[in-house]
Amino acid sequence: MMRPTANDLTLGQRLYERLDIFARHSEDEGKLTRVFLSPQHRAAADELLGWMREAGMAAHVDAVGNVVGRYEGLVPGAPCLMMGSHIDTVRDAGKYDGNMGVLAALACVEEFNRAGERFPFAIEVVAFGDEEGVRFPVTLSGSRAIAGTFDQTTLSLRDKEGVSLRKALTGFGCDPGKIAEIARRKEQILAFVELHIEQGPVLEDAGLPVGAVTAINGASRLSVEVRGTANHAGTVPMHLRRDALAAAAEMMLAVERRGGAEPELVATVGRVDVMPGAVNVIPGLVRFTMDVRSPSDSARRRAVADIDRTIGQIAEARGVDIAITLTHEAAACRCAPELIEAIGQSIARAGLPVRELPSGAGHDAMAFSRLCPVGMIFVRCEKGISHNPAEAITVEDADISMRVLMDFIRHFDAAPLKRLDEDRPVA
Ligand SMILES: [Zn+2]
């Protein structure tokens, strides 16, 4: 494949402009906010349905609000290569998170349709509606429903206005009673591949527009409670205090140190509550959160165990009591080695060095890990910023993304994947 010249960015320009057009589906003027099953989500879905049909796809909105477009292969009814991402956003979001993966996959099909190109497999492009989990206290509803792991009890969860997920789905025109029916069987999906902005600074730092994702990091979230004794800040000498905040500060530095002790491991304290929280009172109670992620589940568990032990030692030395609670745990999702390799080959054919990197953020692709092989392509974003209106990509990078994705599809071969799938251990 030829590298694009400065004058030949048609694919990238078209994708870039369409991302701007699509970002108009927002509940706030001048900002992008599009939450699951909102009127703006409906308008975005309708526009997407139109674009999919113009691109020669059969398209519909399924029972959980996913927009699904199918471009048949050489033989109608063939198993599919599924691609896509999410079209819900956080509040005051960027235009590229999620949306780029959907519109890039759609743009590939447009090119194939225009040229009359078909493949031994079908291509399905899916726009999931609930990746960010902003409206309801649940996430990945759309991708989990297709993967057959949708939790029916979440239908009674409510948003802050008291509207249940079930009612919101009905209002969107969906039949929540049919969600179980949209689950795919293994033989229907050859692979799921998601293109997404990196949402981190690694590619930019390496000077590369795209990269092949190796795994979506697993995560542990913990909450730590530190109990000391609240007392007068003026009357208690330093050696007679049980200062919960000073103890917590030492613990937080230990978390940071352990996070930095090995590559690809990250550990963050993101929230601290101090009680009573007064200028003249020694803090008696501190609660802080801890988030630990790694592409390796064993490395993550080891780090959590180490941090747990260190926090215990600090508490003992300072005479405070602690309680540590695990609030969330998700295993890492390993991308299929064959897909990492195939994506790398497409990047190399675009004339670029191949960089492999893990994903520190969660993605819809995780939901597919037990159904089919999963692959992800990351696209450089400016300063690694996302979940922010300052989120930015370049036309040149959009163009390279399109070329890599089209090349990947053209070379996609399900045969080695199928063989592997038979003896793939469940993670
Ligand atoms: Zn996203």
Side-chain angles (χ1 to χ4, degrees), residues 27-28 32-38 86-93 97 129-141 158-161 165 387:
E27 68 182 64
D28 302 315
L32 175 54
T33 300
R34 188 191 308 137
V35 301
F36 189 31
L37 306 174
S38 61
H86 60 98
I87 56 168
D88 66 320
T89 72
V90 295
R91 297 200 173 275
D92 200 9
D97 180 356
D130 176 35
E131 198 273 340
E132 301 291 4
V134 171
R135 179 170 176 189
F136 296 96
V138 63
T139 178
L140 305 181
S141 305
R158 290 169 193 277
D159 68 9
K160 66 178 193 310
E161 266 80 51
L165 176 54
H387 286 190

Side-chain angles (χ1 to χ4, degrees), residues 85-86 88 97-98 131-132 194 196-197 199 362-364 387:
S85 192
H86 60 98
D88 66 320
D97 180 356
E131 198 273 340
E132 301 291 4
E194 180 169 4
H196 202 284
I197 57 165
Q199 300 183 275
H363 294 289
D364 285 292
H387 286 190

Side-chain angles (χ1 to χ4, degrees), residues 86-334:
H86 60 98
I87 56 168
D88 66 320
T89 72
V90 295
R91 297 200 173 275
D92 200 9
K95 289 183 272 194
Y96 308 102
D97 180 356
N99 295 297
M100 184 179 186
V102 176
L103 297 186
L106 166 67
C108 289
V109 174
E110 284 175 340
E111 292 302 310
F112 298 144
N113 186 53
R114 195 170 294 143
E117 252 179 287
R118 292 203 185 259
F119 305 96
F121 47 89
I123 298 173
E124 291 199 27
V125 177
V126 186
F128 306 108
D130 176 35
E131 198 273 340
E132 301 291 4
V134 171
R135 179 170 176 189
F136 296 96
V138 63
T139 178
L140 305 181
S141 305
S143 37
R144 281 190 182 143
I146 290 182
T149 56
F150 178 82
D151 178 358
Q152 296 283 339
T153 65
T154 59
L155 287 170
S156 48
L157 293 173
R158 290 169 193 277
D159 68 9
K160 66 178 193 310
E161 266 80 51
V163 179
S164 70
L165 176 54
R166 181 180 283 106
K167 189 155 178 244
L169 279 165
T170 310
F172 200 73
C174 299
D175 180 354
K178 295 203 162 134
I179 290 176
E181 293 171 27
I182 66 170
R184 304 294 179 99
R185 295 189 311 276
K186 282 189 174 183
E187 60 271 24
Q188 294 175 310
I189 302 191
L190 301 168
F192 178 81
V193 174
E194 180 169 4
L195 178 138
H196 202 284
I197 57 165
E198 184 202 334
Q199 300 183 275
V202 175
L203 289 173
E204 186 176 71
D205 184 57
L208 295 171
V210 287
V213 177
T214 52
I216 299 169
N217 286 353
S220 301
R221 287 193 194 140
L222 300 98
S223 101
V224 183
E225 189 176 285
V226 186
R227 271 185 193 279
T229 305
N231 209 333
H232 199 292
T235 61
V236 186
M238 297 307 283
H239 72 283
L240 295 177
R241 295 181 177 203
R242 291 172 73 230
D243 184 329
L245 182 57
E250 202 177 326
M251 293 168 189
M252 287 175 219
L253 291 175
V255 172
E256 186 195 37
R257 218 163 25 242
R258 186 60 182 83
E262 55 189 290
E264 299 194 332
L265 178 76
V266 286
T268 308
V269 173
R271 179 177 176 156
V272 184
D273 296 307
V274 182
M275 279 144 280
V279 67
N280 57 353
V281 182
I282 299 163
L285 176 65
V286 172
R287 289 194 188 97
F288 67 89
T289 61
M290 205 159 78
D291 178 300
V292 183
R293 303 189 197 206
S294 167
S296 155
D297 289 333
S298 55
R300 172 174 50 83
R301 288 198 196 99
R302 266 199 315 276
V304 169
D306 287 351
I307 290 169
D308 195 273
R309 195 174 329 109
T310 309
I311 285 178
Q313 288 161 353
I314 294 167
E316 202 176 318
R318 286 180 163 271
V320 295
D321 298 318
I322 45 156
I324 303 178
T325 319
L326 183 69
T327 54
H328 166 86
E329 184 157 46
C333 162
R334 291 252 160 212

